[in-house]
Amino acid sequence: MAARSKARKRALDILFEADLRDLPTLQLLSERQSVGDVPVQPYAAELVRGVATHSERIDELISWNLVDWTLERMPAVDRNVLRIGVYELLWADGVPDGVAISEAVALAQDLSTDNSAPFVNGVLARIKAEKPTLSLDPEASAFVGDEDEDEGGDPYADEDDDGQSARTREPNSHG
């Protein structure tokens, strides 16, 4: 297994534990770095910090791309694999989009249910497709170009393949 793949797995371990135990992510990372039996590679720590820093926006983007499913109902492994994938897609410089998606899919395939890999792939592919129009600021509106709203235009008017706007799109199904 490549070094970055191992780092992603280690980051997933930390994010998963923090999620399940309802612990502050950065506090758990600090503990794992200082007393953990398994070392935390620098890239794993970068991923955990990045996911923690952008967690609100990451969860918002994932939620917007779910149909008939919620973030809370999703298996914790899938939720945290998606968080890593979204972070790498949108904020990790030097990680090609295809690599971010394929690494997340591989983690889901190895560690979750049979339906998880295609589910993760679908959610990340939709986020990748929206990437050029996304605002990465959690305080801003969802999409870049919101200045159209001031002129009476609807910044959400772009429709997806089934003719639904991003604002009215139903969440995606996990199965």
Side-chain angles (χ1 to χ4, degrees), residues 20-31:
L20 281 186
R21 295 179 58 203
D22 199 25
L23 297 171
T25 304
L26 296 177
Q27 177 184 326
L28 183 61
L29 172 62
S30 180
E31 289 173 16

Side-chain angles (χ1 to χ4, degrees), residues 29-89:
L29 172 62
S30 180
E31 289 173 16
R32 293 295 169 258
Q33 286 178 310
S34 62
V35 295
D37 296 334
V38 180
V40 179
Q41 306 90 327
Y43 191 64
E46 178 184 329
L47 289 173
V48 171
R49 282 189 205 98
V51 168
T53 299
H54 301 287
S55 63
E56 183 179 326
R57 186 68 175 128
I58 288 170
D59 285 356
E60 183 177 73
L61 290 168
I62 293 168
S63 293
W64 285 350
N65 285 282
L66 300 176
V67 177
D68 300 331
W69 206 254
T70 64
L71 199 62
E72 296 76 26
R73 278 187 50 216
M74 186 183 306
V77 171
D78 295 0
R79 183 171 47 244
N80 287 291
V81 164
L82 281 168
R83 287 171 173 158
I84 292 170
V86 171
Y87 171 76
E88 285 194 307
L89 267 176

